[in-house]
Amino acid sequence: MNAPFNPGRIGVRDPFAAYVCDETTAETLRPVAVEMGWAPEKVNKGGLRNAVQSLSVSASPQILFVDLSESGDPLNDINALAEVCEPGTVVIAAGQVNDVRLYRDLVVSGIQDYLLKPLSPDMLRDAFTHAQAMLNAPKAVEASTERPHISTCFIGARGGVGASTIATSVAWMMSEKGARTTALLDLDVHFGTGALSLDLEPGRGLTDAIDNPSRIDGLFIERAMVKASERLSVLSAEAPISTPVMTDGTAFYQLQEEMRAAFECTIVDLPRGMLVQHPHLMTDIQVAVIVTELTLAAARDTIRLLSWLKSNAPQTQVVVVANKMQVAAQLEISRKDFEGSIERKIDYAIPFDQKLAAQAAKLGKPIAEAGKTSKTILPLTDLAKNLMAVGDLAESIDSGTKSKVATKGTSLIGKFSLKTMAGRSAKKK
């Protein structure tokens, strides 16, 4: 809960404590607590009132279960509990009142979940597992004052060209090789693979954000994002395909805003349909990476995307990446003809490597990690490095120069070598 900080109560924090009103609830709770590795004697009698009294003189646990059955005014009582809880405590409440308004009000007040009695072991296991996931979520990190934030989106010209695969690999490289705190935002709400590619459960954060945009803030980002590594965090979803996304895009824009404050790099996996429906998502995107392949359909849609970006996001630098490049004899369109049709050069060409892709999928790793020694990932490495260089470059260009660059409609990526960037950094020091 987002409670006031009280240094007087700091001590060794237990992983779990519960305060229940009846023996039936206690008997249901104790075996599940043991399964989770917690001491059964941490299940106490007395409900919410006893919880407030006990925690006012001792450190609160990491996960706190409270029974509201005997509470006459649950909302006020939960607020009283917040006054005695340390920041970061995950609170799960239970009660007998089946009222969706109460549930929503309790969640807004800061609890993690509200369970309706009578309780079942499966219900408790799910709630505690989710609570542990929240505790392992990334902590909001203030963006470095020495490194301006870089926001990049990846757009597939066609389905199946590998935009999500490349976005995940670039995000991994920025976090691991570039040592940047990085957020991967997968906006394919029903079929996103951002979490899957990293062998993670997507969680409910993205769908919760869509349902309740007003709840999106720094604390929400901290709780909702799934941590893939020390510096890489993911917000993805696998929403039921029977449930359409009903949103005006406000939630997606707010998520981008909060991620800019919490991370040094944001990678947005942006489906084509989302770009059409919510063009405002491009407002603060610095670089748009169009991932394509050398086919007739992909050439047509690359032309359309380039035209749309030129008209609707002239401030955004555009990079074209040709993925799954095969030998010339197997191409539907030659590289020369493709570049002639889109009236610009391909910035990066990534060779087709089915063996590496299959190995990465089996390991649950991005291809950049699975193929560290493969020449196949060299273009990905260059792309990630140059994206970070754009962010670094933004620090040394004044606003007037940047506006001139934007009007030219050409990409800065690739024009500044790593050696140049290293020399610039050395001069600053």
Side-chain angles (χ1 to χ4, degrees):
M1 298 186 72
N2 194 17
F5 180 72
N6 186 344
R9 295 196 308 272
I10 287 295
V12 178
R13 298 184 66 176
D14 291 324
F16 168 77
Y19 296 85
V20 301
C21 296
D22 58 272
E23 186 58 34
T24 300
T25 302
E27 289 177 357
T28 306
L29 194 52
R30 288 190 187 104
V32 178
V34 172
E35 286 180 30
M36 304 296 294
W38 302 325
E41 56 268 24
K42 292 298 180 180
V43 178
N44 306 282
K45 289 290 189 66
L48 183 60
R49 181 176 298 179
N50 188 26
V52 173
Q53 292 175 348
S54 299
L55 298 179
S56 64
V57 293
S58 63
S60 55
Q62 293 176 325
I63 297 175
L64 174 64
F65 181 94
V66 291
D67 192 341
L68 305 179
S69 299
E70 297 177 354
S71 172
D73 190 345
L75 282 177
N76 278 338
D77 289 344
I78 281 292
N79 289 333
L81 180 65
E83 294 296 324
V84 299
C85 273
E86 315 296 350
T89 298
V90 178
V91 178
I92 299 169
Q96 297 173 323
V97 179
N98 187 6
D99 185 345
V100 68
R101 288 175 298 180
L102 174 62
Y103 170 79
R104 288 173 177 169
D105 289 342
L106 287 172
V107 170
V108 169
S109 71
I111 73 164
Q112 176 60 38
D113 209 348
Y114 175 74
L115 309 179
L116 188 65
K117 296 174 70 174
L119 304 175
S120 70
D122 286 342
M123 184 191 304
L124 291 168
R125 288 189 197 98
D126 288 345
F128 291 147
T129 300
H130 191 226
Q132 287 184 321
M134 293 302 99
L135 288 172
N136 294 327
K139 305 302 179 185
V141 179
E142 290 186 7
S144 170
T145 55
E146 298 179 0
R147 293 172 174 170
H149 185 90
I150 174 69
S151 295
T152 306
C153 74
F154 285 75
I155 307 167
R158 300 288 299 171
V161 297
S164 297
T165 299
I166 294 176
T168 305
S169 283
V170 169
W172 180 84
M173 284 181 165
M174 286 181 164
S175 64
E176 293 297 319
K177 305 300 183 183
R180 313 287 177 102
T181 55
T182 304
L184 174 60
L185 175 59
D186 185 350
L187 292 184
D188 190 340
V189 180
H190 292 102
F191 303 102
T193 58
L196 182 64
S197 299
L198 296 164
D199 197 24
L200 299 170
E201 289 293 331
R204 301 182 304 191
L206 185 53
T207 51
D208 286 348
I210 295 169
D211 292 337
N212 298 287
S214 61
R215 290 183 55 208
I216 300 172
D217 56 17
L219 182 61
F220 180 90
I221 292 294
E222 178 183 330
R223 290 180 172 178
M225 297 197 72
V226 179
K227 194 169 185 178
S229 66
E230 183 182 353
R231 296 187 183 91
L232 177 61
S233 303
V234 183
L235 190 60
S236 186
E238 291 176 11
I241 58 177
S242 58
T243 307
V245 177
M246 306 298 290
T247 176
D248 61 358
T250 300
F252 305 137
Y253 185 78
Q254 287 180 291
L255 286 171
Q256 288 178 286
E257 285 283 308
E258 292 298 333
M259 287 178 182
R260 268 192 293 276
F263 297 89
E264 293 173 312
C265 303
T266 300
I267 300 294
V268 183
D269 187 352
L270 186 61
R272 294 181 301 165
M274 196 74 75
L275 180 70
V276 174
Q277 292 176 348
H278 309 297
H280 62 279
L281 295 181
M282 293 298 301
T283 301
D284 295 314
I285 295 292
Q286 292 160 275
V287 183
V289 180
I290 298 176
V291 181
T292 188
E293 58 186 2
L294 301 195
T295 64
L296 183 62
R300 180 200 67 179
D301 290 342
T302 300
I303 293 170
R304 297 170 75 193
L305 286 170
L306 288 169
S307 175
W308 187 95
L309 289 168
K310 184 176 181 180
S311 299
N312 295 275
Q315 79 286 353
T316 302
Q317 298 176 32
V318 180
V319 179
V320 176
V321 175
N323 193 28
K324 301 181 180 180
M325 289 288 288
Q326 304 187 50
V327 295
Q330 297 177 352
L331 293 175
E332 187 174 317
I333 302 177
S334 70
R335 178 168 180 169
K336 181 179 179 181
D337 289 343
F338 187 92
E339 290 177 333
S341 66
I342 68 172
E343 298 182 344
R344 63 164 291 162
K345 295 289 186 181
I346 290 171
D347 296 290
Y348 299 92
I350 301 174
F352 182 68
D353 191 336
Q354 180 60 45
K355 184 178 179 181
L356 175 58
Q359 181 70 7
K362 290 177 183 178
L363 295 174
K365 296 180 178 180
I367 60 173
E369 182 179 8
K372 291 179 181 178
T373 59
S374 171
K375 293 182 180 179
T376 303
I377 69 164
L378 288 177
L380 283 175
T381 303
D382 290 341
L383 173 59
K385 288 177 178 176
N386 284 314
L387 286 173
M388 289 185 286
V390 169
D392 293 337
L393 184 64
E395 184 180 21
S396 60
I397 299 180
D398 60 41
S399 58
T401 305
K402 282 194 285 185
S403 63
K404 291 178 182 178
V405 171
T407 56
K408 290 181 181 179
T410 59
S411 174
L412 289 174
I413 294 182
K415 293 186 179 180
F416 294 88
S417 68
L418 293 178
K419 187 181 293 183
T420 304
M421 296 312 303
R424 184 181 290 111
S425 299
K427 288 179 180 178
K428 287 181 186 177
K429 294 180 181 178

PDB file of all heavy atoms in Angstrom, residues 254-281:
ATOM      1  N   GLN A 254      -0.804   7.315 -21.787  1.00  0.00           N
ATOM      2  CA  GLN A 254      -0.375   7.541 -20.405  1.00  0.00           C
ATOM      3  C   GLN A 254       0.717   6.558 -19.994  1.00  0.00           C
ATOM      4  O   GLN A 254       1.633   6.916 -19.244  1.00  0.00           O
ATOM      5  CB  GLN A 254      -1.577   7.414 -19.465  1.00  0.00           C
ATOM      6  CG  GLN A 254      -2.535   8.591 -19.541  1.00  0.00           C
ATOM      7  CD  GLN A 254      -3.713   8.438 -18.586  1.00  0.00           C
ATOM      8  OE1 GLN A 254      -4.562   7.577 -18.782  1.00  0.00           O
ATOM      9  NE2 GLN A 254      -3.745   9.240 -17.559  1.00  0.00           N
ATOM     10  N   LEU A 255       0.621   5.334 -20.490  1.00  0.00           N
ATOM     11  CA  LEU A 255       1.665   4.353 -20.198  1.00  0.00           C
ATOM     12  C   LEU A 255       3.009   4.825 -20.744  1.00  0.00           C
ATOM     13  O   LEU A 255       4.042   4.726 -20.068  1.00  0.00           O
ATOM     14  CB  LEU A 255       1.297   2.999 -20.809  1.00  0.00           C
ATOM     15  CG  LEU A 255       0.194   2.206 -20.101  1.00  0.00           C
ATOM     16  CD1 LEU A 255      -0.215   1.008 -20.936  1.00  0.00           C
ATOM     17  CD2 LEU A 255       0.649   1.756 -18.713  1.00  0.00           C
ATOM     18  N   GLN A 256       2.998   5.355 -21.969  1.00  0.00           N
ATOM     19  CA  GLN A 256       4.228   5.884 -22.541  1.00  0.00           C
ATOM     20  C   GLN A 256       4.782   7.036 -21.703  1.00  0.00           C
ATOM     21  O   GLN A 256       6.000   7.140 -21.487  1.00  0.00           O
ATOM     22  CB  GLN A 256       3.983   6.355 -23.978  1.00  0.00           C
ATOM     23  CG  GLN A 256       3.792   5.231 -24.984  1.00  0.00           C
ATOM     24  CD  GLN A 256       3.507   5.776 -26.370  1.00  0.00           C
ATOM     25  OE1 GLN A 256       2.419   6.261 -26.653  1.00  0.00           O
ATOM     26  NE2 GLN A 256       4.483   5.701 -27.243  1.00  0.00           N
ATOM     27  N   GLU A 257       3.885   7.904 -21.223  1.00  0.00           N
ATOM     28  CA  GLU A 257       4.309   9.039 -20.395  1.00  0.00           C
ATOM     29  C   GLU A 257       5.004   8.562 -19.124  1.00  0.00           C
ATOM     30  O   GLU A 257       6.078   9.062 -18.753  1.00  0.00           O
ATOM     31  CB  GLU A 257       3.079   9.882 -20.026  1.00  0.00           C
ATOM     32  CG  GLU A 257       2.534  10.732 -21.157  1.00  0.00           C
ATOM     33  CD  GLU A 257       3.388  11.977 -21.386  1.00  0.00           C
ATOM     34  OE1 GLU A 257       3.650  12.708 -20.417  1.00  0.00           O
ATOM     35  OE2 GLU A 257       3.798  12.188 -22.540  1.00  0.00           O
ATOM     36  N   GLU A 258       4.395   7.608 -18.435  1.00  0.00           N
ATOM     37  CA  GLU A 258       4.969   7.114 -17.183  1.00  0.00           C
ATOM     38  C   GLU A 258       6.264   6.356 -17.419  1.00  0.00           C
ATOM     39  O   GLU A 258       7.185   6.422 -16.601  1.00  0.00           O
ATOM     40  CB  GLU A 258       3.960   6.222 -16.457  1.00  0.00           C
ATOM     41  CG  GLU A 258       2.733   6.960 -15.933  1.00  0.00           C
ATOM     42  CD  GLU A 258       3.077   8.021 -14.898  1.00  0.00           C
ATOM     43  OE1 GLU A 258       4.112   7.883 -14.213  1.00  0.00           O
ATOM     44  OE2 GLU A 258       2.325   9.000 -14.766  1.00  0.00           O
ATOM     45  N   MET A 259       6.351   5.638 -18.518  1.00  0.00           N
ATOM     46  CA  MET A 259       7.579   4.898 -18.815  1.00  0.00           C
ATOM     47  C   MET A 259       8.741   5.841 -19.101  1.00  0.00           C
ATOM     48  O   MET A 259       9.891   5.542 -18.780  1.00  0.00           O
ATOM     49  CB  MET A 259       7.354   3.964 -20.007  1.00  0.00           C
ATOM     50  CG  MET A 259       6.504   2.754 -19.669  1.00  0.00           C
ATOM     51  SD  MET A 259       6.192   1.709 -21.093  1.00  0.00           S
ATOM     52  CE  MET A 259       5.149   0.454 -20.334  1.00  0.00           C
ATOM     53  N   ARG A 260       8.443   6.986 -19.720  1.00  0.00           N
ATOM     54  CA  ARG A 260       9.510   7.970 -19.955  1.00  0.00           C
ATOM     55  C   ARG A 260      10.106   8.463 -18.651  1.00  0.00           C
ATOM     56  O   ARG A 260      11.286   8.784 -18.577  1.00  0.00           O
ATOM     57  CB  ARG A 260       8.968   9.147 -20.773  1.00  0.00           C
ATOM     58  CG  ARG A 260       9.133   8.989 -22.265  1.00  0.00           C
ATOM     59  CD  ARG A 260       8.857  10.279 -23.002  1.00  0.00           C
ATOM     60  NE  ARG A 260       7.460  10.665 -22.898  1.00  0.00           N
ATOM     61  CZ  ARG A 260       6.513  10.199 -23.687  1.00  0.00           C
ATOM     62  NH1 ARG A 260       6.801   9.334 -24.629  1.00  0.00           N
ATOM     63  NH2 ARG A 260       5.254  10.580 -23.545  1.00  0.00           N
ATOM     64  N   ALA A 261       9.267   8.539 -17.607  1.00  0.00           N
ATOM     65  CA  ALA A 261       9.759   9.018 -16.312  1.00  0.00           C
ATOM     66  C   ALA A 261      10.511   7.933 -15.549  1.00  0.00           C
ATOM     67  O   ALA A 261      11.347   8.240 -14.707  1.00  0.00           O
ATOM     68  CB  ALA A 261       8.578   9.517 -15.474  1.00  0.00           C
ATOM     69  N   ALA A 262      10.220   6.658 -15.857  1.00  0.00           N
ATOM     70  CA  ALA A 262      10.781   5.568 -15.057  1.00  0.00           C
ATOM     71  C   ALA A 262      11.940   4.835 -15.719  1.00  0.00           C
ATOM     72  O   ALA A 262      12.699   4.155 -15.047  1.00  0.00           O
ATOM     73  CB  ALA A 262       9.678   4.555 -14.722  1.00  0.00           C
ATOM     74  N   PHE A 263      12.099   4.979 -17.047  1.00  0.00           N
ATOM     75  CA  PHE A 263      13.125   4.224 -17.772  1.00  0.00           C
ATOM     76  C   PHE A 263      13.924   5.148 -18.689  1.00  0.00           C
ATOM     77  O   PHE A 263      13.473   6.222 -19.051  1.00  0.00           O
ATOM     78  CB  PHE A 263      12.478   3.116 -18.610  1.00  0.00           C
ATOM     79  CG  PHE A 263      11.747   2.077 -17.798  1.00  0.00           C
ATOM     80  CD1 PHE A 263      10.408   2.243 -17.480  1.00  0.00           C
ATOM     81  CD2 PHE A 263      12.407   0.944 -17.363  1.00  0.00           C
ATOM     82  CE1 PHE A 263       9.727   1.292 -16.733  1.00  0.00           C
ATOM     83  CE2 PHE A 263      11.742  -0.020 -16.608  1.00  0.00           C
ATOM     84  CZ  PHE A 263      10.404   0.151 -16.291  1.00  0.00           C
ATOM     85  N   GLU A 264      15.087   4.672 -19.091  1.00  0.00           N
ATOM     86  CA  GLU A 264      15.924   5.427 -20.014  1.00  0.00           C
ATOM     87  C   GLU A 264      15.544   5.167 -21.470  1.00  0.00           C
ATOM     88  O   GLU A 264      15.767   6.017 -22.331  1.00  0.00           O
ATOM     89  CB  GLU A 264      17.393   5.074 -19.791  1.00  0.00           C
ATOM     90  CG  GLU A 264      17.906   5.535 -18.437  1.00  0.00           C
ATOM     91  CD  GLU A 264      19.310   5.042 -18.144  1.00  0.00           C
ATOM     92  OE1 GLU A 264      19.585   3.843 -18.335  1.00  0.00           O
ATOM     93  OE2 GLU A 264      20.146   5.856 -17.705  1.00  0.00           O
ATOM     94  N   CYS A 265      15.007   3.990 -21.752  1.00  0.00           N
ATOM     95  CA  CYS A 265      14.605   3.639 -23.115  1.00  0.00           C
ATOM     96  C   CYS A 265      13.218   3.005 -23.092  1.00  0.00           C
ATOM     97  O   CYS A 265      12.915   2.214 -22.199  1.00  0.00           O
ATOM     98  CB  CYS A 265      15.578   2.636 -23.746  1.00  0.00           C
ATOM     99  SG  CYS A 265      17.300   3.184 -23.805  1.00  0.00           S
ATOM    100  N   THR A 266      12.398   3.351 -24.069  1.00  0.00           N
ATOM    101  CA  THR A 266      11.106   2.705 -24.246  1.00  0.00           C
ATOM    102  C   THR A 266      11.040   2.123 -25.649  1.00  0.00           C
ATOM    103  O   THR A 266      11.290   2.828 -26.628  1.00  0.00           O
ATOM    104  CB  THR A 266       9.942   3.694 -24.059  1.00  0.00           C
ATOM    105  OG1 THR A 266       9.984   4.245 -22.743  1.00  0.00           O
ATOM    106  CG2 THR A 266       8.600   2.983 -24.248  1.00  0.00           C
ATOM    107  N   ILE A 267      10.721   0.840 -25.729  1.00  0.00           N
ATOM    108  CA  ILE A 267      10.506   0.172 -27.007  1.00  0.00           C
ATOM    109  C   ILE A 267       9.023  -0.177 -27.090  1.00  0.00           C
ATOM    110  O   ILE A 267       8.504  -0.906 -26.242  1.00  0.00           O
ATOM    111  CB  ILE A 267      11.347  -1.120 -27.119  1.00  0.00           C
ATOM    112  CG1 ILE A 267      12.837  -0.811 -26.995  1.00  0.00           C
ATOM    113  CG2 ILE A 267      11.037  -1.848 -28.421  1.00  0.00           C
ATOM    114  CD1 ILE A 267      13.396   0.006 -28.128  1.00  0.00           C
ATOM    115  N   VAL A 268       8.344   0.349 -28.098  1.00  0.00           N
ATOM    116  CA  VAL A 268       6.914   0.092 -28.276  1.00  0.00           C
ATOM    117  C   VAL A 268       6.713  -0.808 -29.490  1.00  0.00           C
ATOM    118  O   VAL A 268       7.107  -0.450 -30.605  1.00  0.00           O
ATOM    119  CB  VAL A 268       6.123   1.406 -28.471  1.00  0.00           C
ATOM    120  CG1 VAL A 268       4.625   1.097 -28.583  1.00  0.00           C
ATOM    121  CG2 VAL A 268       6.387   2.367 -27.325  1.00  0.00           C
ATOM    122  N   ASP A 269       6.149  -1.993 -29.245  1.00  0.00           N
ATOM    123  CA  ASP A 269       5.772  -2.889 -30.338  1.00  0.00           C
ATOM    124  C   ASP A 269       4.369  -2.469 -30.771  1.00  0.00           C
ATOM    125  O   ASP A 269       3.382  -2.761 -30.101  1.00  0.00           O
ATOM    126  CB  ASP A 269       5.789  -4.337 -29.844  1.00  0.00           C
ATOM    127  CG  ASP A 269       5.579  -5.335 -30.974  1.00  0.00           C
ATOM    128  OD1 ASP A 269       5.281  -4.898 -32.101  1.00  0.00           O
ATOM    129  OD2 ASP A 269       5.696  -6.551 -30.723  1.00  0.00           O
ATOM    130  N   LEU A 270       4.292  -1.760 -31.906  1.00  0.00           N
ATOM    131  CA  LEU A 270       3.062  -1.076 -32.313  1.00  0.00           C
ATOM    132  C   LEU A 270       2.439  -1.754 -33.532  1.00  0.00           C
ATOM    133  O   LEU A 270       2.943  -1.615 -34.651  1.00  0.00           O
ATOM    134  CB  LEU A 270       3.378   0.387 -32.623  1.00  0.00           C
ATOM    135  CG  LEU A 270       2.219   1.330 -32.929  1.00  0.00           C
ATOM    136  CD1 LEU A 270       1.271   1.427 -31.754  1.00  0.00           C
ATOM    137  CD2 LEU A 270       2.753   2.715 -33.292  1.00  0.00           C
ATOM    138  N   PRO A 271       1.340  -2.493 -33.355  1.00  0.00           N
ATOM    139  CA  PRO A 271       0.668  -3.112 -34.511  1.00  0.00           C
ATOM    140  C   PRO A 271       0.159  -2.054 -35.485  1.00  0.00           C
ATOM    141  O   PRO A 271      -0.210  -0.947 -35.088  1.00  0.00           O
ATOM    142  CB  PRO A 271      -0.504  -3.868 -33.864  1.00  0.00           C
ATOM    143  CG  PRO A 271      -0.119  -4.050 -32.427  1.00  0.00           C
ATOM    144  CD  PRO A 271       0.695  -2.848 -32.083  1.00  0.00           C
ATOM    145  N   ARG A 272       0.111  -2.407 -36.749  1.00  0.00           N
ATOM    146  CA  ARG A 272      -0.336  -1.454 -37.777  1.00  0.00           C
ATOM    147  C   ARG A 272      -1.733  -0.908 -37.480  1.00  0.00           C
ATOM    148  O   ARG A 272      -1.995   0.281 -37.634  1.00  0.00           O
ATOM    149  CB  ARG A 272      -0.354  -2.123 -39.151  1.00  0.00           C
ATOM    150  CG  ARG A 272       0.992  -2.527 -39.686  1.00  0.00           C
ATOM    151  CD  ARG A 272       0.852  -3.146 -41.058  1.00  0.00           C
ATOM    152  NE  ARG A 272      -0.018  -4.319 -41.046  1.00  0.00           N
ATOM    153  CZ  ARG A 272      -0.538  -4.892 -42.129  1.00  0.00           C
ATOM    154  NH1 ARG A 272      -0.283  -4.391 -43.320  1.00  0.00           N
ATOM    155  NH2 ARG A 272      -1.319  -5.956 -42.037  1.00  0.00           N
ATOM    156  N   GLY A 273      -2.618  -1.797 -37.055  1.00  0.00           N
ATOM    157  CA  GLY A 273      -3.986  -1.368 -36.769  1.00  0.00           C
ATOM    158  C   GLY A 273      -4.052  -0.343 -35.652  1.00  0.00           C
ATOM    159  O   GLY A 273      -4.855   0.598 -35.703  1.00  0.00           O
ATOM    160  N   MET A 274      -3.187  -0.490 -34.668  1.00  0.00           N
ATOM    161  CA  MET A 274      -3.144   0.454 -33.555  1.00  0.00           C
ATOM    162  C   MET A 274      -2.659   1.822 -34.036  1.00  0.00           C
ATOM    163  O   MET A 274      -3.128   2.866 -33.574  1.00  0.00           O
ATOM    164  CB  MET A 274      -2.220  -0.078 -32.463  1.00  0.00           C
ATOM    165  CG  MET A 274      -2.362   0.591 -31.131  1.00  0.00           C
ATOM    166  SD  MET A 274      -3.869   0.105 -30.273  1.00  0.00           S
ATOM    167  CE  MET A 274      -3.435  -1.539 -29.742  1.00  0.00           C
ATOM    168  N   LEU A 275      -1.737   1.814 -34.983  1.00  0.00           N
ATOM    169  CA  LEU A 275      -1.230   3.071 -35.545  1.00  0.00           C
ATOM    170  C   LEU A 275      -2.357   3.844 -36.239  1.00  0.00           C
ATOM    171  O   LEU A 275      -2.473   5.056 -36.103  1.00  0.00           O
ATOM    172  CB  LEU A 275      -0.106   2.763 -36.538  1.00  0.00           C
ATOM    173  CG  LEU A 275       0.554   3.953 -37.238  1.00  0.00           C
ATOM    174  CD1 LEU A 275       1.381   4.747 -36.250  1.00  0.00           C
ATOM    175  CD2 LEU A 275       1.415   3.478 -38.395  1.00  0.00           C
ATOM    176  N   VAL A 276      -3.205   3.114 -36.948  1.00  0.00           N
ATOM    177  CA  VAL A 276      -4.317   3.743 -37.660  1.00  0.00           C
ATOM    178  C   VAL A 276      -5.359   4.284 -36.687  1.00  0.00           C
ATOM    179  O   VAL A 276      -5.866   5.402 -36.843  1.00  0.00           O
ATOM    180  CB  VAL A 276      -4.964   2.735 -38.634  1.00  0.00           C
ATOM    181  CG1 VAL A 276      -6.210   3.337 -39.276  1.00  0.00           C
ATOM    182  CG2 VAL A 276      -3.967   2.309 -39.702  1.00  0.00           C
ATOM    183  N   GLN A 277      -5.687   3.485 -35.662  1.00  0.00           N
ATOM    184  CA  GLN A 277      -6.735   3.866 -34.724  1.00  0.00           C
ATOM    185  C   GLN A 277      -6.302   4.965 -33.763  1.00  0.00           C
ATOM    186  O   GLN A 277      -7.108   5.806 -33.366  1.00  0.00           O
ATOM    187  CB  GLN A 277      -7.185   2.643 -33.921  1.00  0.00           C
ATOM    188  CG  GLN A 277      -7.906   1.594 -34.750  1.00  0.00           C
ATOM    189  CD  GLN A 277      -8.240   0.362 -33.935  1.00  0.00           C
ATOM    190  OE1 GLN A 277      -7.753   0.186 -32.820  1.00  0.00           O
ATOM    191  NE2 GLN A 277      -9.059  -0.508 -34.496  1.00  0.00           N
ATOM    192  N   HIS A 278      -5.032   4.952 -33.360  1.00  0.00           N
ATOM    193  CA  HIS A 278      -4.557   5.887 -32.340  1.00  0.00           C
ATOM    194  C   HIS A 278      -3.287   6.606 -32.808  1.00  0.00           C
ATOM    195  O   HIS A 278      -2.194   6.370 -32.279  1.00  0.00           O
ATOM    196  CB  HIS A 278      -4.289   5.147 -31.022  1.00  0.00           C
ATOM    197  CG  HIS A 278      -5.427   4.289 -30.571  1.00  0.00           C
ATOM    198  ND1 HIS A 278      -6.661   4.804 -30.244  1.00  0.00           N
ATOM    199  CD2 HIS A 278      -5.522   2.945 -30.410  1.00  0.00           C
ATOM    200  CE1 HIS A 278      -7.471   3.820 -29.883  1.00  0.00           C
ATOM    201  NE2 HIS A 278      -6.805   2.689 -29.975  1.00  0.00           N
ATOM    202  N   PRO A 279      -3.396   7.478 -33.795  1.00  0.00           N
ATOM    203  CA  PRO A 279      -2.204   8.150 -34.337  1.00  0.00           C
ATOM    204  C   PRO A 279      -1.473   9.003 -33.315  1.00  0.00           C
ATOM    205  O   PRO A 279      -0.277   9.271 -33.472  1.00  0.00           O
ATOM    206  CB  PRO A 279      -2.776   9.008 -35.474  1.00  0.00           C
ATOM    207  CG  PRO A 279      -4.234   9.158 -35.166  1.00  0.00           C
ATOM    208  CD  PRO A 279      -4.630   7.889 -34.491  1.00  0.00           C
ATOM    209  N   HIS A 280      -2.168   9.427 -32.239  1.00  0.00           N
ATOM    210  CA  HIS A 280      -1.511  10.271 -31.227  1.00  0.00           C
ATOM    211  C   HIS A 280      -0.400   9.527 -30.488  1.00  0.00           C
ATOM    212  O   HIS A 280       0.415  10.156 -29.796  1.00  0.00           O
ATOM    213  CB  HIS A 280      -2.554  10.784 -30.224  1.00  0.00           C
ATOM    214  CG  HIS A 280      -3.252   9.698 -29.460  1.00  0.00           C
ATOM    215  ND1 HIS A 280      -4.302   8.987 -29.995  1.00  0.00           N
ATOM    216  CD2 HIS A 280      -3.049   9.201 -28.213  1.00  0.00           C
ATOM    217  CE1 HIS A 280      -4.719   8.106 -29.104  1.00  0.00           C
ATOM    218  NE2 HIS A 280      -3.976   8.210 -28.022  1.00  0.00           N
ATOM    219  N   LEU A 281      -0.341   8.193 -30.618  1.00  0.00           N
ATOM    220  CA  LEU A 281       0.717   7.432 -29.952  1.00  0.00           C
ATOM    221  C   LEU A 281       2.095   7.762 -30.523  1.00  0.00           C
ATOM    222  O   LEU A 281       3.112   7.484 -29.896  1.00  0.00           O
ATOM    223  CB  LEU A 281       0.455   5.927 -30.087  1.00  0.00           C
ATOM    224  CG  LEU A 281      -0.802   5.391 -29.399  1.00  0.00           C
ATOM    225  CD1 LEU A 281      -0.918   3.885 -29.607  1.00  0.00           C
ATOM    226  CD2 LEU A 281      -0.786   5.714 -27.911  1.00  0.00           C
TER     227      LEU A 281
END
